[in-house]
Amino acid sequence: MEKSLVQLQSPRVTVIIRCLPFPELIYWGRSLAHGDAAMVAALDRPIPNSRIDEDAPVSLSPENGRGLFSVPGLEGHRQGQDWSPVFTTRTYQHTGQTLTLVCEDPHARLTLRIELTLCKQTGVLRTRQLLTNGGEEDYWVNRLAVTLTLPDRAREVMAFHGRWISEFRRHRLNLAHGGFVQENRRGRTSHEYFPALVIGQPGFSEQQGELWGLHLAWSGNHRLRADCKSDGRRQVQAEALYFPGEIVLAPDESLSTPWVYATWSGEGLNGMSAAFHRYLRQSRLPAAVATPRPVHLNTWEGIYFDHQPDYIEQMAQRAAALGVERFIIDDGWFRGRNSDTTALGDWYTDPEKYPQGLTPVIDAVKRTGMQFGIWVEPEMISQDSLLFRKHPDWVLGLASYPRPLGRNQWVLDLCNEAVYRYLLARLSWLLGEHDIRYVKWDFNREVVQPAHGGQASMTRQTRQMYRLFDELNQRFGQVEFESCASGGGRMDYAMLKRCCRFWPSDSNDALDRQQIQRGASYFFPPEVLGTHIGDSPCHATGRRHTLQFRALTALFGHMGIELDPVRADAEQQAGFAHYIALYKQLRPLLHHGRAFRIDAEQPGQLIHGVVAEDASTAVVLISQPTLPEYALCGQLRVPGLTPARRYRVKVWDKPDSLCQPRNSAMKRYPAWLTQTLTLSGEWLGEVGLAMPVLEPESALLLGFIAE
């Protein structure tokens, strides 16, 4: 290739960048074995009539100053000047899998550093940009976005939406003209708009189609957009969203975008997920995730704020007998916390509930062989709290305006160093004076008027939260942190650097969880997703589901139970013990294999599974949320098995309706449900098994084991 072209290469993906005179993404897609300058010259664009007389590139930082009439990568000014910068490449360095470009505009006195790294093993591209003010006056930054270009065939967008107890829903849009913009201003990653996009050929599915997936690793406000220019060229942008006046660069000061993680797939959404999952397992997840993920019992839906140490010890004994490996006391343990209206900020053990402190309860839990965990919500403060009465000025907001409560609480100003030091001290006491191995860290409300000293400070508030996590992780390396924000409100790769578990939703409703967990699975591997067997009826929705349906839904994640095991009858306890044992048996496969989703032939049916890396075994869950549309449900074809090997079909678990000679859905069952069947991987992948007709809100768990 010509000297200014750099090719980043992996077995799956090739990325080609033209470095001079400006950085431009030439190609991003299926791995190319051969390339030279003549091939790249084949992409030289014509110049249409009635346009400017020079080619206007969509560079890695698009510029209106070059005659590009679309959204730029940088928007800012220096007292009204230097508002239309044009960057040219000053230097670039290609080392291994990384390309670093330094671009500058000497007139605007700005330098832009662009970093791109292509993971050789997975084909995941990691990129960010760093803007430096080289002038003698402040530079006000309104926007700084990472921009990636896509080919003309990228015409369909899959984006994410949701709300509390209904996270990670998906919708699709046609990208033929104009653009799609997604903004989050809620102060956290958000239930409503997960910071990710998938853009591909129309009709891409779980198993088929070419697409590009992108995730912004940022836990605050964000903006994502995908644009189709009037000439048909397409670009996607990801950025932290800044409030007016929030980002002002002093002379020689720099601003970095969050990291963006992206990948190409020619195998539909499964190929994208496989790349992201493998990348996270190799380079992002803490070492704790490499060990078996312990079964949880969380006390929240079992006892809420009613904490009685003797009874909690009974819960722990019963939980251990069921096979639980980690016991977590949720909200209600600290001073004066008897409802969700009080005491946030007062991080001292409640002397009335725990007159001897937490240690006796922790010791009782440890004697059963379980680890002990606890819930906190450090970033919040209650109006009815000792902390607020002592430090009303510690609340985040604009002093001249009313500060609305959310979930009966306000947010603490982490940019205030006194607040930061207080939280660090109280959490260090909690984790340093007690044998706690796990912390469920909640963040239960949205942020209104985030200001420090009157100036917008949402970006700095987010970075201070990172700082607090980082210091605690450094001090207490034995502690694992979970990110919870009323469920899935703060789930992203930046948090995954600091936590090894997410709570995807406050709803344990198995029917909703089927969709929520599927949406999360596009970007997160199952071992980081907290999936609990909840009570029936569900505390969030009031729906009732069988234990079998609830348990199989919870199986494909980091499994736990969330209820009071003391109140459970003998049949329920036997059921919990059965599914906990099944989880432990399948855990190595579920958390180390390749997860996949299947394009179901029956509309509405959800099918997903995991296949071992060596294809020696696979497990598949067939879920039937509603009444089947057709009288027959087609064939199940299992991807990822070795064609020449033979696999025994194993029914790991089935609903009670399939334990009867006949049921309301079928007069006769498929033969393989009642007799042992061994089939080739080729047959299972290309032809498959005739599916049974399942009743609504039921599920079937199958295994495929190489002989």
Side-chain angles (χ1 to χ4, degrees):
M1 287 192 176
E2 66 180 72
K3 192 173 181 181
S4 69
L5 294 174
V6 170
Q7 180 167 319
L8 302 177
Q9 188 71 32
S10 81
R12 289 184 57 254
V13 178
T14 293
V15 175
I16 301 176
I17 307 291
R18 175 183 284 135
C19 300
L20 298 173
F22 41 75
E24 184 180 9
L25 178 57
I26 298 297
Y27 175 82
W28 177 22
R30 191 182 305 276
S31 182
L32 301 178
H34 310 284
D36 56 39
M39 293 179 184
V40 176
L43 297 178
D44 286 348
R45 290 177 292 271
I47 298 175
N49 286 327
S50 192
R51 298 292 179 95
I52 59 173
D53 295 337
E54 298 180 7
D55 178 54
V58 180
S59 70
L60 291 177
S61 181
E63 302 137 323
N64 294 153
R66 290 190 189 274
L68 187 75
F69 302 108
S70 57
V71 62
L74 168 65
E75 293 182 9
H77 66 94
R78 185 179 284 109
Q79 295 182 353
Q81 304 296 309
D82 303 327
W83 57 272
S84 184
V86 176
F87 291 101
T88 55
T89 303
R90 186 179 70 193
T91 62
Y92 65 93
Q93 182 176 7
H94 176 208
T95 305
Q97 297 296 112
T98 298
L99 171 63
T100 303
L101 304 108
V102 178
C103 308
E104 66 178 4
D105 181 339
H107 305 290
R109 293 159 292 167
L110 296 172
T111 301
L112 187 67
R113 177 187 174 95
I114 303 173
E115 302 173 41
L116 305 103
T117 299
L118 184 69
C119 177
K120 189 170 185 179
Q121 291 76 27
T122 67
V124 170
L125 179 69
R126 186 176 79 142
T127 181
R128 70 174 178 180
Q129 299 186 4
L130 182 77
L131 179 71
T132 301
N133 176 18
E136 298 177 356
E137 306 87 22
D138 292 348
Y139 191 83
W140 296 67
V141 181
N142 299 334
R143 293 182 56 245
L144 181 62
V146 169
T147 304
L148 296 169
T149 53
L150 299 173
D152 297 354
R153 59 189 180 277
R155 293 174 176 266
E156 186 173 50
V157 176
M158 185 178 87
F160 295 82
H161 67 277
R163 63 176 180 86
W164 178 66
I165 69 170
S166 184
E167 297 87 341
F168 287 100
R169 306 294 173 161
R170 285 84 65 201
H171 59 279
R172 296 198 181 211
L173 308 100
N174 182 26
L175 190 64
H177 299 282
F180 164 76
V181 180
Q182 170 182 301
E183 290 190 354
N184 165 49
R185 298 173 180 264
R186 295 175 182 267
R188 56 188 180 185
T189 317
S190 111
H191 298 75
E192 290 74 16
Y193 299 118
F194 175 64
L197 290 176
V198 182
I199 308 172
Q201 291 179 303
F204 66 83
S205 68
E206 305 289 0
Q207 297 176 272
Q208 298 186 26
E210 185 181 23
L211 56 85
W212 293 259
L214 172 147
H215 170 66
L216 178 71
W218 180 242
S219 311
N221 294 342
H222 75 259
R223 180 186 290 116
L224 300 179
R225 63 180 301 153
D227 289 280
C228 176
K229 291 169 53 61
S230 62
D231 58 22
R233 287 183 291 173
R234 287 161 170 78
Q235 68 179 43
V236 60
Q237 290 185 326
E239 61 192 284
L241 189 153
Y242 307 132
F243 286 122
E246 185 173 4
I247 306 296
V248 182
L249 297 183
D252 297 321
E253 192 174 7
S254 298
L255 170 69
S256 174
T257 68
W259 285 105
V260 170
Y261 296 82
T263 195
W264 168 89
S265 171
E267 301 173 336
L269 290 158
N270 281 344
M272 179 195 77
S273 296
F276 282 130
H277 292 184
R278 188 179 178 198
Y279 179 83
L280 293 174
R281 286 169 173 168
Q282 288 182 181
S283 62
R284 202 70 173 176
L285 295 178
V289 179
T291 62
R293 310 303 293 135
V295 179
H296 281 200
L297 184 139
N298 187 280
T299 65
W300 176 240
E301 292 188 359
I303 60 173
Y304 289 100
F305 298 102
D306 184 16
H307 287 219
Q308 302 174 46
D310 291 344
Y311 191 78
I312 289 174
E313 290 182 19
Q314 291 182 49
M315 293 176 68
Q317 292 166 3
R318 188 64 55 83
L322 298 177
V324 172
E325 298 161 310
R326 181 182 281 159
F327 187 89
I328 299 100
I329 288 182
D330 209 289
D331 197 354
W333 62 268
F334 50 99
R335 187 167 59 192
R337 185 66 165 177
N338 298 312
S339 71
D340 66 357
T341 64
T342 63
L344 285 172
D346 298 341
W347 300 109
Y348 301 83
T349 308
D350 191 308
E352 295 184 8
K353 297 178 182 178
Y354 298 92
Q356 299 180 45
L358 288 170
T359 298
V361 175
I362 295 174
D363 290 342
V365 169
K366 290 169 57 182
R367 282 195 296 271
T368 68
M370 296 186 295
Q371 297 179 3
F372 180 82
I374 203 162
W375 177 96
V376 295
E377 193 175 6
E379 296 154 87
M380 300 296 162
I381 184 171
S382 299
Q383 186 176 24
D384 183 4
S385 66
L386 296 175
L387 186 66
F388 178 74
R389 286 188 281 274
K390 185 176 181 180
H391 295 291
D393 56 318
W394 282 11
V395 175
L396 185 70
L398 291 168
S400 302
Y401 295 88
R403 291 176 296 203
L405 287 165
R407 291 183 60 137
N408 300 300
Q409 59 201 50
W410 287 310
V411 183
L412 285 166
D413 180 5
L414 299 188
C415 301
N416 182 332
E417 191 64 18
V419 173
Y420 179 88
R421 288 296 163 191
Y422 170 79
L423 293 179
L424 182 62
R426 296 317 305 153
L427 292 169
S428 295
W429 160 80
L430 178 64
L431 301 180
E433 299 296 323
H434 306 89
D435 190 4
I436 294 172
R437 298 305 178 95
Y438 168 86
V439 172
K440 179 182 178 182
W441 185 306
D442 220 332
F443 185 65
N444 271 316
R445 66 153 290 175
E446 297 139 330
V447 183
V448 180
Q449 298 176 351
H452 175 74
Q455 185 176 4
S457 61
M458 192 65 252
T459 300
R460 188 178 169 197
Q461 177 85 2
T462 304
R463 290 174 178 160
Q464 284 290 92
M465 177 268 293
Y466 290 158
R467 177 189 170 199
L468 185 57
F469 263 104
D470 292 344
E471 192 153 356
L472 290 169
N473 270 309
Q474 185 175 7
R475 290 188 182 189
F476 306 103
Q478 79 280 9
V479 178
E480 296 181 22
F481 289 93
E482 172 184 290
S483 175
C484 175
S486 296
R490 196 153 72 180
M491 292 176 58
D492 57 76
Y493 288 4
M495 290 306 298
L496 199 55
K497 181 181 179 182
R498 298 161 171 93
C499 303
C500 59
R501 193 181 199 257
F502 293 121
W503 184 234
S505 180
D506 273 352
S507 176
N508 283 318
D509 184 303
L511 199 59
D512 287 335
R513 273 291 189 135
Q514 288 278 336
Q515 290 289 357
I516 293 167
Q517 291 167 199
R518 173 168 284 231
S521 75
Y522 290 111
F523 290 87
F524 299 103
E527 62 266 29
V528 305
L529 301 176
T531 53
H532 289 183
I533 305 171
D535 215 340
S536 183
C538 173
H539 291 208
T541 66
R543 277 198 293 238
R544 295 180 180 272
H545 295 117
T546 65
L547 174 57
Q548 194 255 4
F549 188 55
R550 287 179 281 144
L552 292 186
T553 299
L555 188 70
F556 284 79
H558 182 181
M559 184 175 166
I561 56 178
E562 188 152 348
L563 39 75
D564 182 357
V566 176
R567 294 202 309 264
D569 62 29
E571 183 179 359
Q572 290 175 315
Q573 291 184 39
F576 297 145
H578 166 75
Y579 287 108
I580 288 171
L582 179 61
Y583 167 77
K584 290 178 179 179
Q585 185 173 359
L586 294 176
R587 180 164 52 189
L589 171 61
L590 295 171
H591 295 174
H592 297 282
R594 174 170 170 160
F596 58 83
R597 298 164 300 268
I598 291 178
D599 295 319
E601 297 177 19
Q602 177 75 252
Q605 195 172 63
L606 297 175
I607 308 175
H608 59 266
V610 180
V611 60
E613 289 290 347
D614 64 358
S616 61
T617 185
V619 61
V620 176
L621 181 69
I622 303 102
S623 299
Q624 186 64 54
T626 61
L627 185 70
E629 182 168 333
Y630 303 123
L632 293 175
C633 294
Q635 288 78 43
L636 170 68
R637 296 187 295 166
V638 183
L641 302 177
T642 304
R645 297 174 84 172
R646 298 191 68 80
Y647 293 84
R648 175 169 55 89
V649 180
K650 179 179 177 62
V651 180
W652 277 110
D653 202 76
K654 58 186 178 181
D656 288 343
S657 61
L658 291 184
C659 297
Q660 311 301 323
R662 58 182 291 177
N663 63 30
S664 61
M666 291 177 291
K667 299 177 182 178
R668 187 181 70 186
Y669 299 159
W672 58 265
L673 270 173
T674 56
Q675 64 187 47
T676 301
L677 197 63
T678 300
L679 300 167
S680 70
E682 180 183 53
W683 181 275
L684 288 167
E686 299 298 329
V687 184
L689 294 172
M691 295 277 280
V693 182
L694 297 178
E695 294 179 342
E697 300 181 14
S698 67
L700 174 66
L701 185 69
L702 300 181
F704 301 89
I705 303 167
E707 297 282 274

